[in-house]
Amino acid sequence: MEELLSINIRIAGRNYPLSVLPEDEETAREAGRLVNERFLEEKNKKKKRDDVDILAVIAVMNTVRWLEARTEKAVLQEKITQRINRLDELIDSTLTT
């Protein structure tokens, strides 16, 4: 089993310790950076909002994007499968004639 790395991600002025696989370190750090950037953008727009509220909205919006991407991926995979099957049928019909 691969050894986990302990890293800290800073979001909204707080450090959050994470344990990640070495190959996921860069991605985790980038994700933390992006969340923090988004937090700062939202904080500047709505100065009276609570930090937790801002982070909750960011979490929901990121999850919405993730769900949309997952759906798009499934649709694309289905289209690719259909095209491969159609190509396979064409090849089979050409070889058998």
Side-chain angles (χ1 to χ4, degrees), residues 8-17:
N8 283 304
I9 303 295
R10 190 163 184 84
I11 300 171
R14 295 180 64 180
N15 285 324
Y16 294 91

Side-chain angles (χ1 to χ4, degrees), residues 60-75:
V60 169
M61 295 310 297
N62 284 344
T63 303
V64 166
R65 282 190 226 129
W66 179 80
L67 290 169
E68 288 171 346
R70 185 177 71 171
T71 301
E72 289 173 15
K73 178 183 173 187
V75 168

Side-chain angles (χ1 to χ4, degrees), residues 19-73:
S19 296
V20 297
L21 292 170
E23 62 265 26
D24 295 335
E25 178 184 8
E26 186 177 331
T27 303
R29 289 188 187 281
E30 178 72 4
R33 186 186 65 74
L34 291 171
V35 169
N36 195 56
E37 281 180 8
R38 182 73 190 271
F39 170 80
L40 294 173
E41 289 170 7
E42 292 298 318
K43 185 78 170 169
N44 289 332
K45 286 183 200 174
K46 300 167 179 141
K47 295 190 185 295
K48 293 185 181 182
R49 261 186 141 169
D50 181 56
D51 290 356
V52 174
D53 291 341
I54 293 170
L55 290 171
V57 169
I58 291 169
V60 169
M61 295 310 297
N62 284 344
T63 303
V64 166
R65 282 190 226 129
W66 179 80
L67 290 169
E68 288 171 346
R70 185 177 71 171
T71 301
E72 289 173 15
K73 178 183 173 187

